Amino acid sequence: MKRTLNIDTIKKINEQILLKGWVHSIRTHGKITFIDLRDATGLVQVVFKGALDLKQEYIIEVIGEVKKRPENMINTEIKTGTIEIKADTINILSKAKPLPFPIDGDGYEINEKHRLKYRYIDLKRERLKNNLQKRFETISLIRNTLKEKSFIEIETPILTKSTPEGARDFVVPSRNFKGLFYALPQSPQQYKQLLISAGFEKYFQIARCLRDEDPRGDRQPEFTQLDLEIAFPESQDEIMNLIEKLFIKIVKELFEDKYITKIPFPKMTYKEAMEKYKTDKPDLRKNKNDENELAFIFITDFPMFEWKKEHNKWGAMHHPFTLPQEKDIDKIKAHPGNILAYQFDLALNGFEIAGGSLRTHNVSMLEACFEVMGHSKEEIKKQFKHYFDAFEFGIPPHGGIACGLDRFFAIAFNEKSIREVIAFPKTGDNKDLMINAPDKISKEQLKELGLK
Ligand code: ASP
């Protein structure tokens, strides 16, 4: 017999069917056993005459007949509440130990470390299942929408070389070339620009980014971005409009309970935002107690450089590839602190959810920017040889943006932490408590890698 999904039982009244799933709960009334059977589509009630050695979370198969419930027994809480299954046979497919914590309810009251250690159990929880389902639907909508607009999704390497996005790199030792290291990408920034040089005029990627930052609040060492780049943008507005339309579509089609405070999204310069709100990610919700309000705002005209006290030198506010709003290279070198950039962020309810810029495509300008940041010409040409080479072979004006999807999901799903929207997140200090990473490696592995 072919398996029937729980949700389809309501269409099979008086038919003999086969169900498979988890024992969600179990009750006995005299000689009758009631089981709430759970599968990916929801719950259904199974009734069995006789004793059974079943426990919660056992995985079973049930053969029986679908019966209409009497009017007074209908359960409006579940989608299959008008029927129940009169079971003839129940077979156990897998037994289960008692769970370390309950999976009913939202689970916020359970110690988070405990939930993370047994994440595969925590993920049985309806709240987390819904989060991952909605996450998937949003990413599908993004992919479909961008495909319709002639974007192409291209994967870029995970084993690569350091990209200066301002954070510390994770590194991977090379076995073939002892003493040499790959770096994991802080973002696909350089690759996407090189794809533009190759003639892919509209690129995007749902990309994993890895940054070895000190544990700070609600960050993850690896996170997911919608990364995007286009050739020949008319102005930075073209990129902002694209992202604005995309977020409006996502909210309208997938988050019916939510409303956007203001459309078109307001725009404000960095200077205005700092003067008025003392932050470049102001929270412009009209009612901060309302969890359904989404207040987007674009912040534009960021300074190109900022003085990095820790390093005692100028650094890029966004990244070195951003286009300064000044064509005179001498002025850039003489007054780096006064130069603005074609850089724009998108903030939502007080969080930065996207950052992008027009890029410098002129080689001497790029060199000047690197020099301001204290790199010698030789050093630049060495570390970014591929990049300068590519530019010398011709590169169109271009620009792009990256949106932090985990943060957007946390806000859209009313979650306080981005860990609630990621299937297997790490703790605040970057540990995977379930799989126990990071971990030691064997002496043999170390030897093979030429490491002590
Ligand atoms: N690569 C940048 C980032 O990750 C975004 C961009 O400029 O496209 O912040």
Side-chain angles (χ1 to χ4, degrees):
M1 209 188 300
K2 247 183 94 186
R3 177 190 177 200
T4 298
L5 294 173
N6 287 354
I7 191 70
D8 295 329
T9 52
I10 39 179
K11 294 181 264 175
K12 300 202 168 179
I13 295 178
N14 297 331
E15 284 181 42
Q16 189 79 6
I17 55 158
L18 165 68
L19 298 175
K20 299 187 191 211
W22 286 256
V23 175
H24 189 67
S25 63
I26 181 160
R27 305 173 297 283
T28 46
H29 288 293
K31 283 200 182 117
I32 303 185
T33 308
F34 291 88
I35 300 161
D36 280 335
L37 185 75
R38 187 181 76 237
D39 73 7
T41 67
L43 296 175
V44 69
Q45 175 163 286
V46 175
V47 189
F48 184 77
K49 262 199 192 127
L52 278 171
D53 189 16
L54 284 188
K55 297 207 170 80
Q56 214 198 340
E57 292 305 300
Y58 272 29
I59 298 162
I60 57 172
E61 58 179 17
V62 178
I63 297 170
E65 200 176 319
V66 184
K67 290 283 172 205
K68 247 189 162 151
R69 292 200 206 185
E71 217 43 62
N72 59 341
M73 302 291 268
I74 288 177
N75 178 357
T76 49
E77 307 261 296
I78 58 172
K79 286 186 195 131
T80 60
T82 52
I83 58 101
E84 62 188 11
I85 314 299
K86 288 254 173 316
D88 305 321
T89 315
I90 293 186
N91 296 321
I92 296 173
L93 303 178
S94 173
K95 290 188 174 180
K97 289 201 292 190
L99 301 185
F101 46 74
I103 54 167
D104 279 339
D106 57 32
Y108 292 124
E109 73 291 354
I110 303 164
N111 182 313
E112 198 192 8
K113 288 197 173 145
H114 204 37
R115 287 205 283 125
L116 290 176
K117 179 163 180 210
Y118 297 101
R119 186 60 162 180
Y120 48 90
I121 291 173
D122 202 27
L123 288 175
K124 289 173 182 252
R125 193 180 303 290
E126 206 175 319
R127 173 175 64 87
L128 294 184
K129 282 224 168 82
N130 289 342
N131 285 356
L132 294 185
Q133 176 71 30
K134 241 346 197 256
R135 181 181 174 117
F136 163 69
E137 284 167 20
T138 309
I139 288 178
S140 302
L141 185 144
I142 292 174
R143 286 204 159 101
N144 294 337
T145 308
L146 292 176
K147 184 172 176 233
E148 277 165 24
K149 292 185 188 294
S150 307
F151 277 82
I152 155 170
E153 182 168 21
I154 302 177
E155 290 163 84
T156 53
I158 292 290
L159 289 176
T160 176
K161 198 167 108 158
S162 194
T163 309
E165 297 269 347
R168 197 178 294 106
D169 291 316
F170 281 105
V171 292
V172 179
S174 156
R175 179 179 57 83
N176 288 338
F177 302 96
K178 299 225 162 41
L180 300 187
F181 294 82
Y182 301 96
L184 305 182
Q186 293 186 29
S187 90
Q189 185 62 39
Q190 294 189 65
Y191 285 107
K192 69 172 170 176
Q193 293 191 250
L194 297 180
L195 284 169
I196 292 287
S197 86
F200 293 96
E201 293 189 25
K202 290 176 166 191
Y203 145 95
F204 84 100
Q205 183 179 188
I206 303 297
R208 200 65 72 79
C209 302
L210 299 116
R211 301 182 188 178
D212 189 5
E213 291 177 300
D214 288 334
R216 229 197 298 159
D218 195 23
R219 292 207 182 177
Q220 287 283 304
E222 51 180 312
F223 55 92
T224 305
Q225 283 187 343
L226 160 62
D227 190 45
L228 179 153
E229 195 78 12
I230 58 175
F232 310 111
E234 271 174 29
S235 67
Q236 59 179 12
D237 288 343
E238 187 177 338
I239 301 162
M240 285 189 269
N241 288 343
L242 180 86
I243 286 300
E244 174 170 342
K245 287 218 179 80
L246 187 60
F247 274 110
I248 292 173
K249 187 168 179 191
I250 291 170
V251 174
K252 291 222 160 116
E253 289 188 18
L254 297 175
F255 298 92
E256 293 131 13
D257 296 345
K258 304 272 169 198
Y259 64 95
I260 297 174
T261 312
K262 201 159 179 245
I263 296 176
F265 298 171
K267 284 191 182 123
M268 188 178 272
T269 65
Y270 173 82
K271 188 164 176 272
E272 280 172 318
M274 293 310 282
E275 279 169 9
K276 203 162 165 194
Y277 301 105
K278 300 200 168 43
T279 170
D280 57 2
K281 27 186 175 293
D283 184 352
L284 296 189
R285 277 176 296 174
K286 291 216 173 90
N287 177 357
K288 302 222 168 50
N289 298 320
D290 175 359
E291 47 177 36
N292 289 327
E293 184 174 359
L294 297 175
F296 291 93
I297 178 173
F298 281 111
I299 307 295
T300 62
D301 302 274
F302 280 75
M304 176 71 201
F305 304 101
E306 63 184 346
W307 185 254
K308 306 266 182 196
K309 271 198 215 117
E310 342 64 279
H311 304 118
N312 207 24
K313 59 178 191 178
W314 291 104
M317 188 118 176
H318 188 44
H319 51 58
F321 314 117
T322 298
L323 179 65
Q325 295 184 16
E326 169 62 69
K327 289 200 172 64
D328 185 339
I329 291 175
D330 289 338
K331 279 197 191 147
I332 294 178
K333 287 189 183 167
H335 304 288
N338 296 342
I339 307 296
L340 297 181
Y342 291 104
Q343 186 206 328
F344 37 92
D345 275 4
L346 179 61
L348 170 61
N349 294 4
F351 292 94
E352 179 195 328
I353 62 157
S357 61
L358 299 182
R359 324 298 188 189
T360 301
H361 68 285
N362 168 309
V363 176
S364 343
M365 172 79 90
L366 199 57
E367 274 174 6
C369 290
F370 272 105
E371 278 175 54
V372 169
M373 292 180 274
H375 299 272
S376 69
K377 269 204 173 102
E378 298 69 50
E379 192 187 320
I380 305 163
K381 286 267 157 97
K382 212 172 135 210
Q383 207 194 339
F384 296 103
K385 185 171 184 316
H386 57 287
Y387 195 77
F388 280 90
D389 280 355
F391 276 43
E392 279 163 11
F393 287 117
I395 177 127
H398 60 291
I401 190 164
C403 309
L405 292 180
D406 305 300
R407 172 60 59 201
F408 171 71
F409 291 135
I411 296 170
F413 305 161
N414 303 325
E415 294 288 6
K416 290 220 162 55
S417 159
I418 60 171
R419 293 187 289 275
E420 306 290 353
V421 306
I422 297 170
F424 297 103
K426 298 196 172 49
T427 56
D429 55 356
N430 296 353
K431 275 193 192 147
D432 182 328
L433 294 179
M434 183 191 72
I435 211 158
N436 190 28
D439 201 2
K440 292 193 177 123
I441 56 172
S442 69
K443 281 207 179 97
E444 292 70 37
Q445 282 173 302
L446 282 174
K447 200 172 155 210
E448 235 176 10
L449 293 166
L451 295 174
K452 279 202 189 116

